[in-house]
Amino acid sequence: MGENELKQILREHGQEHIIEAYDALDEAGKEKLANQVAKIDWSMVAMAGHKELAQERGKLEPLSALEVNEINARKDEYEAKGLEAIKAGKVGAVLLAGGQGTRLGFDGPKGKYNIGLTKDVYIFERLIRNLQDVTDKAGCYVPLYIMTSDKNNDETIAFFKEKSYFGYPEEYVKFFKQEMAPSTDYDGKLLMEAKDSLSLSPNGNGGWFYSMSVTGILDDVHQRGIEWLNIFAVDN
């Protein structure tokens, strides 16, 4: 993004204070800040201080759902349908793993936390084993998309490689980063974390679909002909 374009965009969105910060930077700092601004979803920023804009999606109502006793009564039928869809290549899995293990007292990706009592068992390992219980029944694998974050992406990928993907075929696993959203004050003004950096925060597990779209992972989903995605979080 060129300097003139950058400043025009910031003026259009009432962010003149960012221009002042930009002008005070050296070339490396200007490039870093410009790259962050280029990734901003301004429709999200516009909602700050304007709750009415969040209602443009229409009326929100609870989804209809089956009760547990109804599912159990038709368990064999539902399981057969699910395995049929997996064998037809219509099912994918998405693991939301962008968080750190801070609340567990662990400095690293939450999925690396060792939950074993008599032997090493990692959260990532347990989740992969759960997935394999299903793929073993189906007799085939499903594509697994793992959402990481800026903080834990490299460490997560390195851990999976170190553990040989816990026995899951590497060619069926793809990683993508959770998008970062800019922080604002109550008036929608962008906040700065440093002289050359906006204050950014992960957009949360609810942003998984948007993150898949902007990173290009959704293209892989479409190319494979996947129609159903099973979403599960590392916390579970």
Side-chain angles (χ1 to χ4, degrees):
M1 178 184 293
E3 184 170 307
N4 291 337
E5 182 185 1
L6 171 76
K7 292 184 177 180
Q8 180 182 348
I9 290 174
L10 290 170
R11 288 192 188 98
E12 288 175 355
H13 294 92
Q15 307 291 339
E16 286 80 1
H17 64 295
I18 303 298
I19 297 177
E20 293 180 13
Y22 175 87
D23 286 337
L25 298 172
D26 58 20
E27 290 306 311
K30 287 181 177 180
E31 181 179 0
K32 179 180 179 180
L33 186 57
N35 287 337
Q36 290 181 334
V37 172
K39 296 178 181 180
I40 293 176
D41 181 347
W42 291 103
S43 65
M44 297 296 293
V45 175
M47 291 183 184
H50 299 279
K51 293 183 179 180
E52 69 277 4
L53 295 178
Q55 302 305 315
E56 292 180 356
R57 293 172 297 174
K59 185 179 181 182
L60 301 179
E61 297 178 341
L63 295 171
S64 60
L66 293 172
E67 295 184 359
V68 174
N69 60 338
E70 295 177 280
I71 295 174
N72 289 336
R74 303 175 62 182
K75 183 177 182 297
D76 292 342
E77 176 188 349
Y78 291 146
E79 183 174 301
K81 286 287 185 182
L83 293 175
E84 180 183 338
I86 291 174
K87 292 175 183 178
K90 296 181 179 180
V91 177
V94 180
L95 171 57
L96 309 180
Q100 295 290 92
T102 308
R103 285 178 290 181
L104 297 173
F106 176 69
D107 184 21
K110 190 178 298 182
K112 282 184 63 175
Y113 188 71
N114 190 344
I115 57 174
L117 296 178
T118 59
K119 63 177 181 179
D120 290 341
V121 179
Y122 305 95
I123 293 177
F124 278 140
E125 179 181 5
R126 187 62 264 167
L127 292 171
I128 294 297
R129 295 285 183 251
N130 292 345
L131 180 58
Q132 286 179 314
D133 287 343
V134 178
T135 58
D136 286 347
K137 281 188 177 182
C140 60
Y141 293 101
V142 302
L144 173 61
Y145 304 99
I146 301 177
M147 186 174 78
T148 63
S149 64
D150 280 346
K151 290 185 176 181
N152 71 16
N153 180 72
D154 293 346
E155 189 174 353
T156 297
I157 294 175
F159 186 65
F160 268 84
K161 289 182 177 179
E162 176 191 337
K163 300 300 181 182
S164 301
Y165 291 78
F166 302 103
Y168 208 78
E170 181 179 351
E171 62 269 25
Y172 280 88
V173 181
K174 289 185 180 294
F175 299 89
F176 67 101
K177 285 186 184 181
Q178 181 178 16
E179 283 296 291
M180 303 292 284
S183 303
T184 71
D185 63 16
Y186 289 111
D187 296 319
K189 300 294 184 182
L190 297 174
L191 300 176
M192 301 288 291
E193 183 175 84
K195 291 182 179 180
D196 62 352
S197 180
L198 297 175
S199 176
L200 303 173
S201 301
N203 66 356
N205 279 350
W208 66 268
F209 186 82
Y210 178 78
S211 297
M212 290 186 77
S213 178
V214 298
T215 56
I217 285 293
L218 203 56
D219 295 335
D220 186 77
V221 172
H222 292 150
Q223 290 169 6
R224 291 176 181 268
I226 293 173
E227 298 179 7
W228 302 93
L229 291 172
N230 183 15
I231 317 298
F232 57 106
V234 71
D235 308 76
N236 297 328

